[in-house]
Amino acid sequence: MLCNCFTLCLPLFSRRHSSSSRGYTALATADVEASAEERAALATVEAALAETRGFRALDVLVFCNDAGRMRAAAAALVGASAQSAASVDARVVDWCVHLLNSADADTQQRAAAALGNLAVNETNKAAIVDFGALDALVALLSAADVEVQCNAVGCITNLATHDANKDKIAQSGALGPLTHLARSSDLRVQRNATGALLNMTHTVDNRLQLVAVNAIPTLVDLLTNSPDYDVQYYCTTCLSNIAVDYVHRKLLASTEPLLVPKLLVLTDSPSLKVQCQATLALRNLASDDYFQLQIVEKKGLTSLRQLIQSQIPEIVVAAVACLRNISIHSSNETPIVESGFLPLLLGLLIVDNSEIQCHAMSTIRNLASSDENKTIIIKEGAIYRIGELLRLEDGVLSESVKNEMTACLAVLALVEGAKAQILKLLKYLIRLCLSSQDGDITSNSAFTIGNCVVDLNERETQMFLHHWQNFRKYIAKFISSSDTSLRHIAVWTLVQCISGNEKVREKLSDDKELLRLIEAVSNKTLPNSREVAATSSGLIVENSVEELSQTLLHELQSPRE
């Protein structure tokens, strides 16, 4: 169960002083008081900008090699870019790169902030990298000035939201410095750095390169050692995305023993987004049996039980999806049942959210692998609840929910005490066999019927025969199908329903049309002498359809005592 909720981070830019500028950065003045010459230069630039001559007025100031004038030019760029992230050309990027390469920290951090503002424009994101600004920005990641670091990282964070830039950033040597800055004592730098790392986790190659620069220990450490909710969120999302890959889950299992306990702590975070993302990370980790067991061992069921009862749909989806993965491991079935999840899962089946319904139903199906749990699930009212959903009009339930429901019913139908309850749903199961366009749904519905019609008592036989006309319609449809597995299921179902039941045997013996169809199947020459029909419910029917048909005909033609 992999997480597809990749999240992008938008950065924070350094503010040495407050400003009325709008945008992602607000930096228009330096720490030191500007000289009269700088103020005059800045006034000249601002007047030029106001007269719509725009960025072109900066050309002389940028390349004058006078520190004060260059600082003024950078300040003007910040102000203009905050007002409007207009499309840039190579000349504008050249100005910024020249200023980034300045020896003056104020000029550097202003130029980085201006580029970060311009990078809000989607077209500019690619242009800034294509026109050569990336190397200068990466160099500033190692600057001594924290304000320069903040704005350089913030700009790269913005640039990393563009797919075309991701590989270029990874190949620029930025990932190592970004990982180092993720441990910065400055919270703004830490946020921007972890946000940039997050934006680099959306392709397999980039995730491999992040692992190669040893980013995982930093991300795991910050889960609980950073007090900032944004940093926690970025780190949990990074790890969630990294855990999409099998090889990385194995690495996490072998090198990060504190990962699951830390994530479980964050599932109780006051920040809802951190709660949700920590749960999604656990969900992805639980794709492997090691983490399925560890989450339970570390008391994760207690956390999941609380999360499933959340009023936030996104948190419920993440929690029940995680539980679904955990329930795959047979050793976890009993702990889940004993922790009281069944009533909660059955309650989720009537929530107006198909994703929640699907995960809840799949979890119940996973738990039904043992006979003991099947009985418990039936006693908790699972068949009744599924019946309520089956009675809904077409189009209300998603196909994925129907698939999980019918697969679960097919498993529960193996329990002797479930027959009467399932026979009450026969009308709706037959309807699915006749009308559904989904092969798994039709097969699962037919398997459910086949499992519950064997060795019926007199009352159950009457319930079954009440639906004979519609039953024979779907049987005829399946037997006439070009799909071998559907023919197989139909004949197997007829073998099941005449087993020990004289009334059904007589009914079938009198049905000339069905007998003709069965005989036609029995005479077919099949490419393989043996077949297996299986569905998503995990149920298997062996023996070829030809053999089953011959067995059925022989049974029908044999004299009865």
Side-chain angles (χ1 to χ4, degrees):
M1 190 63 58
L2 303 184
C3 173
N4 295 319
C5 300
F6 291 127
T7 305
L8 295 175
C9 165
L10 294 178
L12 299 171
F13 288 107
S14 166
R15 295 172 181 261
R16 289 199 194 272
H17 286 296
S18 61
S19 168
S20 60
S21 298
R22 297 192 302 268
Y24 288 99
T25 177
L27 180 62
T29 59
D31 278 337
V32 296
E33 184 178 352
S35 66
E37 183 180 24
E38 289 178 33
R39 290 196 299 272
L42 183 55
T44 300
V45 171
E46 290 176 341
L49 292 172
E51 293 171 12
T52 71
R53 282 179 282 163
F55 291 145
R56 303 299 178 186
L58 298 176
D59 199 56
V60 174
L61 290 175
V62 168
F63 293 103
C64 70
N65 290 326
D66 177 87
R69 290 173 181 262
M70 290 172 66
R71 193 180 302 126
L77 275 171
V78 170
S81 63
Q83 294 294 328
S84 174
S87 295
V88 299
D89 56 20
R91 188 60 173 165
V92 173
V93 177
D94 283 345
W95 295 337
C96 292
V97 170
H98 186 75
L99 296 171
L100 290 174
N101 290 328
S102 165
D104 180 71
D106 286 335
T107 301
Q108 291 173 341
Q109 61 107 350
R110 286 166 167 167
L115 276 178
N117 284 343
L118 293 171
V120 173
N121 182 312
E122 197 68 22
T123 303
N124 287 348
K125 291 175 184 177
I128 289 168
V129 174
D130 291 343
F131 292 145
L134 186 57
D135 287 343
L137 288 166
V138 172
L140 292 183
L141 297 181
S142 302
D145 189 288
V146 71
E147 308 298 334
V148 175
Q149 292 176 359
C150 181
N151 287 357
V153 179
C155 184
I156 291 174
T157 304
N158 257 352
L159 296 176
T161 62
H162 195 287
D163 288 343
N165 290 339
K166 294 181 188 294
D167 287 342
K168 296 172 184 177
I169 292 171
Q171 294 162 10
S172 71
L175 298 184
L178 287 171
T179 300
H180 175 73
L181 291 176
R183 293 183 180 272
S184 172
S185 58
D186 187 282
L187 197 53
R188 300 164 306 161
V189 175
Q190 193 178 94
R191 286 175 185 165
N192 283 352
T194 52
L197 293 176
L198 166 58
N199 289 346
M200 294 299 296
T201 60
H202 299 94
T203 69
V204 174
D205 287 343
N206 290 167
R207 292 194 291 271
L208 286 169
Q209 292 178 74
L210 278 173
V211 172
V213 299
N214 209 29
I216 286 178
T218 295
L219 295 169
V220 173
D221 182 61
L222 289 173
L223 289 177
T224 51
N225 287 340
S226 174
D228 185 70
Y229 294 145
D230 285 334
V231 172
Q232 292 172 358
Y233 173 74
Y234 298 149
C235 289
T236 53
T237 312
C238 272
L239 290 165
S240 180
N241 292 348
I242 289 171
V244 165
D245 306 312
Y246 171 80
V247 65
H248 293 152
R249 291 196 298 273
K250 293 302 181 187
L251 177 64
L252 290 166
S254 63
T255 62
E256 298 297 337
L258 296 180
L259 176 56
V260 167
K262 283 174 175 281
L263 289 172
L264 288 173
V265 168
L266 293 183
T267 61
D268 194 34
S269 169
S271 168
L272 294 179
K273 68 178 183 180
V274 173
Q275 276 189 34
C276 186
Q277 201 58 54
T279 310
L280 283 171
L282 289 168
R283 165 194 176 175
N284 284 355
L285 291 172
S287 298
D288 287 0
D289 55 1
Y290 171 82
F291 287 109
Q292 290 164 3
L293 290 171
Q294 193 180 53
I295 290 169
V296 175
E297 179 185 329
K298 300 300 181 182
K299 313 301 181 185
L301 292 180
T302 301
S303 299
L304 290 173
R305 199 173 189 281
Q306 287 297 115
L307 293 165
I308 281 176
Q309 298 177 77
S310 170
Q311 299 301 308
I312 310 300
E314 292 80 5
I315 292 177
V316 178
V317 169
V320 73
C322 182
L323 187 67
R324 174 182 184 170
N325 283 357
I326 292 171
S327 69
I328 292 171
H329 202 295
S330 59
S331 297
N332 291 336
E333 293 173 13
T334 298
I336 291 173
V337 172
E338 291 180 349
S339 296
F341 277 94
L342 280 176
L344 298 177
L345 291 168
L346 291 173
L348 293 179
L349 294 181
I350 57 175
V351 172
D352 187 18
N353 184 307
S354 61
E355 194 173 1
I356 290 174
Q357 290 176 322
C358 187
H359 290 316
M361 195 70 258
S362 181
T363 304
I364 294 171
R365 177 170 65 121
N366 290 342
L367 297 175
S369 63
S370 72
D371 290 341
E372 181 180 2
N373 280 351
K374 288 186 185 75
T375 301
I376 295 172
I377 290 168
I378 292 169
K379 287 182 178 179
E380 288 286 348
I383 296 175
Y384 176 79
R385 180 55 52 82
I386 293 172
E388 288 182 320
L389 297 175
L390 284 176
R391 291 180 175 90
L392 295 175
E393 295 179 2
D394 286 341
V396 176
L397 293 178
S398 71
E399 296 300 286
S400 59
V401 174
K402 290 179 184 177
N403 185 19
E404 293 295 342
M405 283 170 38
T406 52
C408 185
L409 279 177
V411 174
L412 296 179
L414 296 169
V415 178
E416 183 66 28
K419 289 181 182 180
Q421 293 185 60
I422 293 177
L423 285 170
K424 293 179 181 178
L425 306 178
L426 197 54
K427 169 184 175 180
Y428 308 101
L429 292 168
I430 292 172
R431 182 176 68 184
L432 288 175
C433 290
L434 288 169
S435 63
S436 177
Q437 301 301 309
D438 185 291
D440 282 335
I441 293 174
T442 55
S443 297
N444 290 338
S445 300
F447 265 112
T448 303
I449 295 170
N451 282 336
C452 79
V453 295
V454 62
D455 296 329
L456 299 177
N457 60 34
E458 185 173 348
R459 178 173 175 274
E460 292 166 346
T461 299
Q462 290 177 346
M463 294 173 68
F464 171 58
L465 291 178
H466 178 74
H467 298 282
W468 178 262
Q469 289 304 314
N470 286 327
F471 169 79
R472 67 174 305 284
K473 283 182 184 178
Y474 100 77
I475 291 291
K477 175 186 174 183
F478 277 31
I479 293 179
S480 304
S481 171
S482 59
D483 187 323
T484 302
S485 61
L486 290 183
R487 295 200 302 269
H488 203 157
I489 294 171
V491 176
W492 167 78
T493 301
L494 292 174
V495 172
Q496 290 279 91
C497 71
I498 68 169
S499 175
N501 196 315
E502 188 61 26
K503 286 186 177 180
V504 177
R505 179 178 178 275
E506 290 176 359
K507 194 76 171 178
L508 182 56
S509 297
D510 293 337
D511 197 314
K512 304 304 180 185
E513 181 183 357
L514 284 183
L515 290 177
R516 178 181 58 78
L517 292 173
I518 296 167
E519 288 173 356
V521 171
S522 72
N523 292 329
K524 285 184 180 292
T525 302
L526 299 175
N528 298 311
S529 60
R530 299 186 69 79
E531 304 169 11
V532 174
T535 70
S536 60
S537 64
L539 299 173
I540 296 175
V541 178
E542 297 182 348
N543 297 328
S544 72
V545 66
E546 182 182 32
E547 290 172 329
L548 279 173
S549 299
Q550 292 169 354
T551 299
L552 177 59
L553 290 172
H554 176 75
E555 178 67 18
L556 292 172
Q557 293 164 2
S558 298
R560 312 304 291 179
E561 295 181 359

PDB file of all heavy atoms in Angstrom, residues 371 374-375 378 411-422 451-452 454-457 460:
ATOM      1  N   ASP A 371     -10.742 -19.498  11.065  1.00  0.00           N
ATOM      2  CA  ASP A 371     -12.132 -19.868  11.351  1.00  0.00           C
ATOM      3  C   ASP A 371     -12.653 -19.147  12.590  1.00  0.00           C
ATOM      4  O   ASP A 371     -13.821 -18.721  12.627  1.00  0.00           O
ATOM      5  CB  ASP A 371     -12.236 -21.383  11.550  1.00  0.00           C
ATOM      6  CG  ASP A 371     -12.030 -22.143  10.250  1.00  0.00           C
ATOM      7  OD1 ASP A 371     -12.170 -21.523   9.182  1.00  0.00           O
ATOM      8  OD2 ASP A 371     -11.718 -23.345  10.298  1.00  0.00           O
ATOM      9  N   LYS A 374     -13.496 -15.633  11.647  1.00  0.00           N
ATOM     10  CA  LYS A 374     -14.700 -15.598  10.817  1.00  0.00           C
ATOM     11  C   LYS A 374     -15.949 -15.591  11.696  1.00  0.00           C
ATOM     12  O   LYS A 374     -16.886 -14.813  11.481  1.00  0.00           O
ATOM     13  CB  LYS A 374     -14.745 -16.803   9.875  1.00  0.00           C
ATOM     14  CG  LYS A 374     -13.769 -16.784   8.719  1.00  0.00           C
ATOM     15  CD  LYS A 374     -14.029 -17.974   7.803  1.00  0.00           C
ATOM     16  CE  LYS A 374     -13.010 -18.085   6.693  1.00  0.00           C
ATOM     17  NZ  LYS A 374     -11.714 -18.578   7.145  1.00  0.00           N
ATOM     18  N   THR A 375     -15.948 -16.464  12.681  1.00  0.00           N
ATOM     19  CA  THR A 375     -17.104 -16.566  13.573  1.00  0.00           C
ATOM     20  C   THR A 375     -17.313 -15.264  14.350  1.00  0.00           C
ATOM     21  O   THR A 375     -18.448 -14.776  14.496  1.00  0.00           O
ATOM     22  CB  THR A 375     -16.909 -17.735  14.556  1.00  0.00           C
ATOM     23  OG1 THR A 375     -16.744 -18.951  13.818  1.00  0.00           O
ATOM     24  CG2 THR A 375     -18.103 -17.872  15.487  1.00  0.00           C
ATOM     25  N   ILE A 378     -18.705 -12.548  12.040  1.00  0.00           N
ATOM     26  CA  ILE A 378     -20.133 -12.760  11.765  1.00  0.00           C
ATOM     27  C   ILE A 378     -20.973 -12.344  12.975  1.00  0.00           C
ATOM     28  O   ILE A 378     -22.005 -11.674  12.826  1.00  0.00           O
ATOM     29  CB  ILE A 378     -20.385 -14.232  11.388  1.00  0.00           C
ATOM     30  CG1 ILE A 378     -19.742 -14.544  10.029  1.00  0.00           C
ATOM     31  CG2 ILE A 378     -21.885 -14.528  11.336  1.00  0.00           C
ATOM     32  CD1 ILE A 378     -19.709 -16.019   9.697  1.00  0.00           C
ATOM     33  N   VAL A 411     -15.489 -15.417   1.650  1.00  0.00           N
ATOM     34  CA  VAL A 411     -14.742 -16.072   2.723  1.00  0.00           C
ATOM     35  C   VAL A 411     -15.675 -16.425   3.885  1.00  0.00           C
ATOM     36  O   VAL A 411     -15.628 -17.527   4.433  1.00  0.00           O
ATOM     37  CB  VAL A 411     -13.591 -15.164   3.197  1.00  0.00           C
ATOM     38  CG1 VAL A 411     -12.900 -15.772   4.409  1.00  0.00           C
ATOM     39  CG2 VAL A 411     -12.581 -14.945   2.067  1.00  0.00           C
ATOM     40  N   LEU A 412     -16.535 -15.487   4.266  1.00  0.00           N
ATOM     41  CA  LEU A 412     -17.445 -15.738   5.392  1.00  0.00           C
ATOM     42  C   LEU A 412     -18.460 -16.829   5.069  1.00  0.00           C
ATOM     43  O   LEU A 412     -18.954 -17.509   5.980  1.00  0.00           O
ATOM     44  CB  LEU A 412     -18.168 -14.440   5.765  1.00  0.00           C
ATOM     45  CG  LEU A 412     -17.300 -13.300   6.283  1.00  0.00           C
ATOM     46  CD1 LEU A 412     -18.153 -12.071   6.582  1.00  0.00           C
ATOM     47  CD2 LEU A 412     -16.513 -13.721   7.518  1.00  0.00           C
ATOM     48  N   ALA A 413     -18.771 -17.004   3.789  1.00  0.00           N
ATOM     49  CA  ALA A 413     -19.752 -18.014   3.384  1.00  0.00           C
ATOM     50  C   ALA A 413     -19.273 -19.430   3.664  1.00  0.00           C
ATOM     51  O   ALA A 413     -20.072 -20.372   3.626  1.00  0.00           O
ATOM     52  CB  ALA A 413     -20.076 -17.864   1.901  1.00  0.00           C
ATOM     53  N   LEU A 414     -18.000 -19.589   3.958  1.00  0.00           N
ATOM     54  CA  LEU A 414     -17.467 -20.913   4.293  1.00  0.00           C
ATOM     55  C   LEU A 414     -17.894 -21.361   5.689  1.00  0.00           C
ATOM     56  O   LEU A 414     -17.791 -22.543   6.018  1.00  0.00           O
ATOM     57  CB  LEU A 414     -15.936 -20.896   4.207  1.00  0.00           C
ATOM     58  CG  LEU A 414     -15.349 -20.641   2.816  1.00  0.00           C
ATOM     59  CD1 LEU A 414     -13.847 -20.373   2.917  1.00  0.00           C
ATOM     60  CD2 LEU A 414     -15.618 -21.824   1.903  1.00  0.00           C
ATOM     61  N   VAL A 415     -18.386 -20.414   6.489  1.00  0.00           N
ATOM     62  CA  VAL A 415     -18.814 -20.741   7.853  1.00  0.00           C
ATOM     63  C   VAL A 415     -20.248 -21.245   7.821  1.00  0.00           C
ATOM     64  O   VAL A 415     -21.145 -20.592   7.252  1.00  0.00           O
ATOM     65  CB  VAL A 415     -18.712 -19.506   8.766  1.00  0.00           C
ATOM     66  CG1 VAL A 415     -19.210 -19.834  10.176  1.00  0.00           C
ATOM     67  CG2 VAL A 415     -17.273 -19.005   8.801  1.00  0.00           C
ATOM     68  N   GLU A 416     -20.493 -22.382   8.423  1.00  0.00           N
ATOM     69  CA  GLU A 416     -21.808 -23.022   8.387  1.00  0.00           C
ATOM     70  C   GLU A 416     -22.898 -22.084   8.897  1.00  0.00           C
ATOM     71  O   GLU A 416     -23.978 -21.981   8.316  1.00  0.00           O
ATOM     72  CB  GLU A 416     -21.779 -24.296   9.240  1.00  0.00           C
ATOM     73  CG  GLU A 416     -23.075 -25.091   9.234  1.00  0.00           C
ATOM     74  CD  GLU A 416     -23.384 -25.681   7.864  1.00  0.00           C
ATOM     75  OE1 GLU A 416     -22.428 -25.943   7.107  1.00  0.00           O
ATOM     76  OE2 GLU A 416     -24.564 -25.884   7.560  1.00  0.00           O
ATOM     77  N   GLY A 417     -22.620 -21.348   9.959  1.00  0.00           N
ATOM     78  CA  GLY A 417     -23.632 -20.486  10.555  1.00  0.00           C
ATOM     79  C   GLY A 417     -23.937 -19.233   9.758  1.00  0.00           C
ATOM     80  O   GLY A 417     -24.829 -18.463  10.131  1.00  0.00           O
ATOM     81  N   ALA A 418     -23.215 -19.025   8.667  1.00  0.00           N
ATOM     82  CA  ALA A 418     -23.428 -17.806   7.880  1.00  0.00           C
ATOM     83  C   ALA A 418     -24.422 -18.001   6.750  1.00  0.00           C
ATOM     84  O   ALA A 418     -24.872 -17.032   6.137  1.00  0.00           O
ATOM     85  CB  ALA A 418     -22.092 -17.325   7.311  1.00  0.00           C
ATOM     86  N   LYS A 419     -24.765 -19.252   6.440  1.00  0.00           N
ATOM     87  CA  LYS A 419     -25.560 -19.527   5.242  1.00  0.00           C
ATOM     88  C   LYS A 419     -26.889 -18.785   5.212  1.00  0.00           C
ATOM     89  O   LYS A 419     -27.235 -18.152   4.213  1.00  0.00           O
ATOM     90  CB  LYS A 419     -25.813 -21.029   5.119  1.00  0.00           C
ATOM     91  CG  LYS A 419     -24.582 -21.830   4.738  1.00  0.00           C
ATOM     92  CD  LYS A 419     -24.940 -23.296   4.609  1.00  0.00           C
ATOM     93  CE  LYS A 419     -23.705 -24.112   4.276  1.00  0.00           C
ATOM     94  NZ  LYS A 419     -24.020 -25.541   4.155  1.00  0.00           N
ATOM     95  N   ALA A 420     -27.628 -18.866   6.291  1.00  0.00           N
ATOM     96  CA  ALA A 420     -28.957 -18.261   6.306  1.00  0.00           C
ATOM     97  C   ALA A 420     -28.868 -16.749   6.090  1.00  0.00           C
ATOM     98  O   ALA A 420     -29.679 -16.170   5.357  1.00  0.00           O
ATOM     99  CB  ALA A 420     -29.665 -18.566   7.625  1.00  0.00           C
ATOM    100  N   GLN A 421     -27.869 -16.117   6.702  1.00  0.00           N
ATOM    101  CA  GLN A 421     -27.722 -14.667   6.536  1.00  0.00           C
ATOM    102  C   GLN A 421     -27.364 -14.308   5.093  1.00  0.00           C
ATOM    103  O   GLN A 421     -27.884 -13.343   4.531  1.00  0.00           O
ATOM    104  CB  GLN A 421     -26.623 -14.145   7.466  1.00  0.00           C
ATOM    105  CG  GLN A 421     -26.958 -14.242   8.951  1.00  0.00           C
ATOM    106  CD  GLN A 421     -25.870 -13.601   9.799  1.00  0.00           C
ATOM    107  OE1 GLN A 421     -25.580 -12.414   9.665  1.00  0.00           O
ATOM    108  NE2 GLN A 421     -25.257 -14.389  10.675  1.00  0.00           N
ATOM    109  N   ILE A 422     -26.490 -15.094   4.486  1.00  0.00           N
ATOM    110  CA  ILE A 422     -26.058 -14.795   3.120  1.00  0.00           C
ATOM    111  C   ILE A 422     -27.166 -15.106   2.119  1.00  0.00           C
ATOM    112  O   ILE A 422     -27.332 -14.394   1.115  1.00  0.00           O
ATOM    113  CB  ILE A 422     -24.762 -15.561   2.789  1.00  0.00           C
ATOM    114  CG1 ILE A 422     -23.621 -15.013   3.650  1.00  0.00           C
ATOM    115  CG2 ILE A 422     -24.412 -15.449   1.305  1.00  0.00           C
ATOM    116  CD1 ILE A 422     -22.307 -15.710   3.476  1.00  0.00           C
ATOM    117  N   ASN A 451     -20.374 -21.093  -2.272  1.00  0.00           N
ATOM    118  CA  ASN A 451     -19.966 -21.545  -0.939  1.00  0.00           C
ATOM    119  C   ASN A 451     -21.137 -21.701   0.020  1.00  0.00           C
ATOM    120  O   ASN A 451     -21.079 -22.505   0.952  1.00  0.00           O
ATOM    121  CB  ASN A 451     -18.958 -20.560  -0.339  1.00  0.00           C
ATOM    122  CG  ASN A 451     -17.576 -20.742  -0.912  1.00  0.00           C
ATOM    123  OD1 ASN A 451     -17.223 -21.808  -1.409  1.00  0.00           O
ATOM    124  ND2 ASN A 451     -16.782 -19.685  -0.882  1.00  0.00           N
ATOM    125  N   CYS A 452     -22.192 -20.914  -0.174  1.00  0.00           N
ATOM    126  CA  CYS A 452     -23.284 -20.949   0.807  1.00  0.00           C
ATOM    127  C   CYS A 452     -24.421 -21.893   0.400  1.00  0.00           C
ATOM    128  O   CYS A 452     -25.356 -22.092   1.181  1.00  0.00           O
ATOM    129  CB  CYS A 452     -23.818 -19.548   1.094  1.00  0.00           C
ATOM    130  SG  CYS A 452     -24.941 -18.898  -0.144  1.00  0.00           S
ATOM    131  N   VAL A 454     -24.085 -25.176  -0.490  1.00  0.00           N
ATOM    132  CA  VAL A 454     -23.752 -26.584  -0.293  1.00  0.00           C
ATOM    133  C   VAL A 454     -24.369 -27.083   1.017  1.00  0.00           C
ATOM    134  O   VAL A 454     -24.371 -26.378   2.027  1.00  0.00           O
ATOM    135  CB  VAL A 454     -22.222 -26.784  -0.286  1.00  0.00           C
ATOM    136  CG1 VAL A 454     -21.562 -26.041   0.849  1.00  0.00           C
ATOM    137  CG2 VAL A 454     -21.872 -28.260  -0.260  1.00  0.00           C
ATOM    138  N   ASP A 455     -24.948 -28.298   0.957  1.00  0.00           N
ATOM    139  CA  ASP A 455     -25.515 -28.954   2.154  1.00  0.00           C
ATOM    140  C   ASP A 455     -26.530 -28.072   2.879  1.00  0.00           C
ATOM    141  O   ASP A 455     -26.480 -27.885   4.098  1.00  0.00           O
ATOM    142  CB  ASP A 455     -24.399 -29.355   3.128  1.00  0.00           C
ATOM    143  CG  ASP A 455     -23.470 -30.399   2.534  1.00  0.00           C
ATOM    144  OD1 ASP A 455     -23.944 -31.222   1.720  1.00  0.00           O
ATOM    145  OD2 ASP A 455     -22.270 -30.386   2.858  1.00  0.00           O
ATOM    146  N   LEU A 456     -27.500 -27.538   2.126  1.00  0.00           N
ATOM    147  CA  LEU A 456     -28.536 -26.695   2.719  1.00  0.00           C
ATOM    148  C   LEU A 456     -29.553 -27.534   3.481  1.00  0.00           C
ATOM    149  O   LEU A 456     -29.899 -28.646   3.059  1.00  0.00           O
ATOM    150  CB  LEU A 456     -29.254 -25.902   1.625  1.00  0.00           C
ATOM    151  CG  LEU A 456     -28.409 -24.936   0.787  1.00  0.00           C
ATOM    152  CD1 LEU A 456     -29.271 -24.305  -0.297  1.00  0.00           C
ATOM    153  CD2 LEU A 456     -27.782 -23.864   1.667  1.00  0.00           C
ATOM    154  N   ASN A 457     -30.061 -27.012   4.606  1.00  0.00           N
ATOM    155  CA  ASN A 457     -31.158 -27.691   5.275  1.00  0.00           C
ATOM    156  C   ASN A 457     -32.462 -27.325   4.573  1.00  0.00           C
ATOM    157  O   ASN A 457     -32.470 -26.571   3.592  1.00  0.00           O
ATOM    158  CB  ASN A 457     -31.200 -27.346   6.772  1.00  0.00           C
ATOM    159  CG  ASN A 457     -31.379 -25.852   7.024  1.00  0.00           C
ATOM    160  OD1 ASN A 457     -32.066 -25.161   6.259  1.00  0.00           O
ATOM    161  ND2 ASN A 457     -30.773 -25.351   8.100  1.00  0.00           N
ATOM    162  N   GLU A 460     -33.265 -23.533   4.434  1.00  0.00           N
ATOM    163  CA  GLU A 460     -32.313 -22.846   3.566  1.00  0.00           C
ATOM    164  C   GLU A 460     -32.562 -23.188   2.100  1.00  0.00           C
ATOM    165  O   GLU A 460     -32.424 -22.330   1.215  1.00  0.00           O
ATOM    166  CB  GLU A 460     -30.888 -23.227   3.966  1.00  0.00           C
ATOM    167  CG  GLU A 460     -30.481 -22.673   5.342  1.00  0.00           C
ATOM    168  CD  GLU A 460     -29.220 -23.329   5.888  1.00  0.00           C
ATOM    169  OE1 GLU A 460     -28.809 -24.388   5.349  1.00  0.00           O
ATOM    170  OE2 GLU A 460     -28.665 -22.811   6.875  1.00  0.00           O
TER     171      GLU A 460
END
